[in-house]
Amino acid sequence: MTDTSRPASPSVAIIGGGPAGLMAAEVLATAGIRVDLYDAMPSVGRKFLLAGVGGMNITHSEARGAFLARYGERREEIARLLAEFDADALRRWIHDLGIDTFVGTSGRVFPTDMKAAPLLRAWLKRLRELGVQLHTRHRWPGWNADGGLRMETAEGERPIHADAVLLALGGGSWPRLGSDGSWVAHLQQAGVPIAPLQPSNCGFDVAAWSPLLRDKFAGAPLKNVALGLTGEAQRQGEFVLTATGIEGSLVYALSAGIRQRISRDGSCTVCLDLLPQRSEEALGKALSKPRGSHSMAKHLHRQAGLDGVKAALLRELAPAEHFADPLRLAAAIKALPIELHQPRPLAEAISSAGGVPFEALDKGLMLTALPGTFCAGEMLDWEAPTGGYLLTACFASGRAAGLGIAHWLQRGA
């Protein structure tokens, strides 16, 4: 006999099956709350799996201060989220799923098998055991007149009613994997302010490469170089020359600053050091040695170790007269300017900036304009470089939203 006197457990609808949505689902289900998670794609975690191609970089072992600095203008807001679930807590959570991790030489943290799929499988198994109901091929096109959720399915549209809703729909990058930014219009119509979505961790275009550089060296990596915004400290690493400009991890680390300067000034010049391991003085002395009958290309190779794409880029960007002056050529090698004019399209970016401002949310990540509706993950207005920082904040925001929902439901009980 069913006990009808017992109140039904509150229910939560989570829209979006990425790390933030899945983490919130775990928090809520563990608290005994009924959770239905909806995703527009045929399976959940698609962008998470893509992030694991080539090695699942889950977080970073960097010291807390340096770690938080990666979040730029939103450092304080992300710090509050990470205070409850930081990189170490994330690693412990992964270990509890039966997945070991290790710290690479760069300080990045990876599962021992370097893969995302085993982690996701173990996680989904846990969620199902907790009673989380996963509904794929369910697309959210907004709200009904009565405030309920509309949900498009293969069988047609149906209404969804829940005691609380979490939106974890991602940003606007990689739309083919589901995070297409279509939610922006729905929230704006509901009175929620939205910072425009912009590409982050993206490549940038120059005015034009010469046909020779473009055709011969597009796709070539520049390794062991340093890059920085004019007037700021440089970072060492590597990036890739593309047919239209530059991209890669070193560029991604600077993408926020580059984008902001382009928006402000119309272009942004970054300064490239082709040989950060050698001083300008030492290069000047080496290049001042007589080259005799050797070509300039051979001289650069013998005295500076420059060839391939590095030598080609030097030829592309350094004034021709510098090649007749060893000291000016050494200076160009150490500070080669690359003028960038625009970011690559949002659909090509690894992540996006912009979204729901923290100022539109309470401490539990609930929208002040829509009580009972919460937001988490990349749809919030923050950004970070690659290296595990993106995923760490997504996990932490999902956990914070889950706790915020549980607290809000408890207050209303």
Side-chain angles (χ1 to χ4, degrees), residues 282-302:
L283 277 172
K285 288 180 180 179
L287 293 173
S288 294
K289 293 178 181 179
R291 62 185 176 98
S293 61
H294 293 298
S295 66
M296 177 55 72
K298 188 71 172 178
H299 188 59
L300 283 169
H301 173 70
R302 292 181 64 190

Side-chain angles (χ1 to χ4, degrees), residues 240-264:
V240 175
L241 192 79
T242 69
T244 61
I246 58 175
E247 68 176 19
S249 58
L250 198 49
V251 178
Y252 302 156
L254 302 172
S255 64
I258 295 172
R259 190 186 65 245
Q260 289 163 4
R261 291 198 184 189
I262 290 174
S263 177
R264 184 189 70 196

Side-chain angles (χ1 to χ4, degrees), residues 56-218:
M56 177 76 256
N57 178 200
I58 196 76
T59 189
H60 204 287
S61 62
E62 200 168 38
R64 180 174 177 79
F67 194 105
L68 291 175
R70 303 294 187 178
Y71 298 96
E73 295 176 356
R74 289 301 190 181
R75 171 179 175 163
E76 290 186 10
E77 290 84 359
I78 300 300
R80 288 197 292 269
L81 301 178
L82 296 183
E84 299 296 326
F85 195 75
D86 61 8
D88 291 335
L90 177 55
R91 289 186 73 184
R92 290 193 294 271
W93 174 82
I94 293 171
H95 298 162
D96 194 48
L97 284 172
I99 306 292
D100 290 330
T101 61
F102 73 96
V103 180
T105 55
S106 64
R108 299 183 179 198
V109 177
F110 304 88
T112 50
D113 62 3
M114 301 288 287
K115 297 177 181 178
L119 193 161
L120 183 60
R121 283 197 298 270
W123 194 7
L124 293 179
K125 180 176 182 291
R126 172 185 286 179
L127 292 176
R128 292 189 179 99
E129 290 172 350
L130 286 169
V132 174
Q133 299 294 310
L134 302 177
H135 309 272
T136 55
R137 294 188 172 89
H138 280 62
R139 182 176 297 278
W140 176 65
W143 288 275
N144 291 313
D146 64 358
L149 299 169
R150 297 167 56 200
M151 200 64 66
E152 294 176 348
T153 74
E155 291 75 36
E157 186 172 305
R158 66 187 184 96
I160 301 292
H161 292 276
D163 296 298
V165 174
L166 171 64
L167 304 178
L169 290 153
S173 62
W174 292 92
R176 65 184 178 86
L177 299 178
S179 55
D180 58 9
S182 60
W183 52 265
V184 169
H186 305 319
L187 290 186
Q188 286 177 328
Q189 290 169 7
V192 178
I194 303 292
L197 297 182
Q198 301 179 77
S200 181
N201 289 298
C202 60
F204 291 86
D205 290 343
V206 299
W209 294 132
S210 67
L212 176 63
L213 186 72
R214 182 189 65 231
D215 296 343
K216 188 172 182 180
F217 292 102

